[in-house]
Amino acid sequence: MRLIKAKDFEDMSRIAANIIAAQIVLKPDCVLGLATGSSPVGIYKNLVEKYEKGNISFAEVTSVNLDEYKGLDHDNDQSYYYFMNQHLFSKVDIDPANTHVPDGLREDVEEACKEYDEIIAATGGVDIQLLGIGRNGHIGFNEPSDHFELGTHCVKLTEDTINANKRFFAKEEDVPRYAFSMGIGNIMRAKKVLLIASGEDKAWAVKNMIEGTVNTQVQGSVLQLHQDVVVVADEAARSMLEA
Ligand code: F6R
């Protein structure tokens, strides 16, 4: 695991966007694994700027998103589909047909998860997977558990995650209780992983992900077993690290 020490949120966003842009320049038809939430907002802003300046093009890029709330449709402004359109897809030249976000409205959960795994496989594999990290160490919506889920699955969100995400919703009751998420197996198959962390509330998760033992209660700790992980963390998110 390589740790890049960013100063603050802006610095983290700039560094991580440069890494993704370099991937697109090196392989214009690359597959990007994308994340939502507040952590990547600055990265998408930087990438849109690079696109507008003519430095990168998404014309040949394929994307697969990590997760989606169960029960939210595309027009719901809290859905991750809506988020991706708002922050990236509608602002760059990516072909919408090459963008993939799990469909939150699917009733047949098993079939939906199987199909999403097939979509990921059909891309030929993720070149770079962008990840945020939850306060409890989750990556994607792989919540603390007694095992690692391998493939896409439907997960019951923990109280901590519901609490952390209620800031985006009018009322806590509006936060969906379930989500579709890529599994740890999907994430570990990415050729490169780029994890970003900003703010003091991520310090515990960052410490346990990097310096703790690999364990299923801190799902991000599994990244210690991946051969190509870059963590870009700002000062506050690094504040509990020994080294
Ligand atoms: C989002 C995702 C989640 C978030 C995590 C951190 O696609 O998979 O794991 O990355 O919950 O969220 P923020 O960035 O809002 O702190």
Side-chain angles (χ1 to χ4, degrees):
M1 234 186 237
R2 183 162 162 240
L3 176 65
I4 298 182
K5 297 177 178 176
K7 190 173 180 329
D8 51 21
F9 180 80
E10 263 191 19
D11 197 32
M12 175 197 80
S13 304
R14 184 184 56 81
I15 295 167
N18 283 344
I19 294 171
I20 296 174
Q23 170 70 68
I24 296 171
V25 170
L26 287 170
K27 189 180 174 196
D29 62 346
C30 63
V31 180
L32 302 179
L34 297 177
T36 55
S38 44
S39 306
V41 169
I43 297 179
Y44 295 142
K45 190 165 162 279
N46 271 267
L47 288 174
V48 170
E49 281 167 16
K50 288 178 196 297
Y51 164 73
E52 285 170 348
K53 286 186 186 148
N55 292 331
I56 50 170
S57 165
F58 291 78
E60 295 175 61
V61 168
T62 296
S63 71
V64 280
N65 261 79
L66 277 170
D67 40 23
E68 177 62 285
Y69 287 120
K70 187 168 187 297
L72 299 195
D73 63 38
H74 288 177
D75 296 331
N76 188 308
D77 62 5
Q78 293 310 326
S79 75
Y80 287 167
Y81 178 93
Y82 190 98
F83 174 101
M84 289 311 302
N85 270 321
Q86 185 189 20
H87 291 281
L88 186 68
F89 299 157
S90 68
K91 298 186 169 165
V92 297
D93 60 345
I94 199 163
D95 180 348
N98 293 336
T99 66
H100 307 284
V101 181
D103 181 353
L105 290 187
R106 292 286 295 270
E107 283 303 329
D108 188 335
V109 166
E110 231 171 83
E111 191 186 62
C113 293
K114 187 172 161 277
E115 279 177 23
Y116 202 65
D117 282 343
E118 285 165 4
I119 287 172
I120 300 168
T123 66
V126 172
D127 289 294
I128 185 163
Q129 176 66 56
L130 176 62
L131 296 175
I133 186 160
R135 300 189 303 202
N136 61 10
H138 73 211
I139 50 176
F141 274 136
N142 292 277
E143 297 282 41
S145 162
D146 58 4
H147 64 287
F148 291 123
E149 287 280 350
L150 298 182
T152 302
H153 57 290
C154 185
V155 60
K156 186 173 187 336
L157 300 176
T158 60
E159 278 309 311
D160 191 53
T161 298
I162 290 165
N163 241 314
N165 289 2
K166 71 180 181 204
R167 67 191 192 278
F168 299 116
F169 292 82
K171 320 190 274 310
E172 184 171 336
E173 302 89 88
D174 295 344
V175 187
R177 270 31 189 181
Y178 290 86
F180 289 103
S181 176
M182 277 191 200
I184 293 296
N186 302 112
I187 293 170
M188 291 296 278
R189 272 193 290 278
K191 290 174 197 130
K192 189 177 191 74
V193 173
L194 169 61
L195 186 142
I196 48 166
S198 170
E200 215 179 321
D201 61 339
K202 300 296 172 71
W204 182 89
V206 167
K207 181 182 173 49
N208 282 278
M209 170 186 67
I210 298 179
E211 293 176 347
T213 52
V214 174
N215 76 96
T216 56
Q217 291 303 319
V218 181
Q219 297 261 320
S221 64
V222 75
L223 296 174
Q224 292 176 32
L225 305 178
H226 192 287
Q227 58 171 9
D228 191 359
V229 178
V230 178
V231 176
V232 186
D234 70 8
E235 268 169 19
R238 285 185 279 109
S239 57
M240 285 175 75
L241 288 175
E242 308 267 316

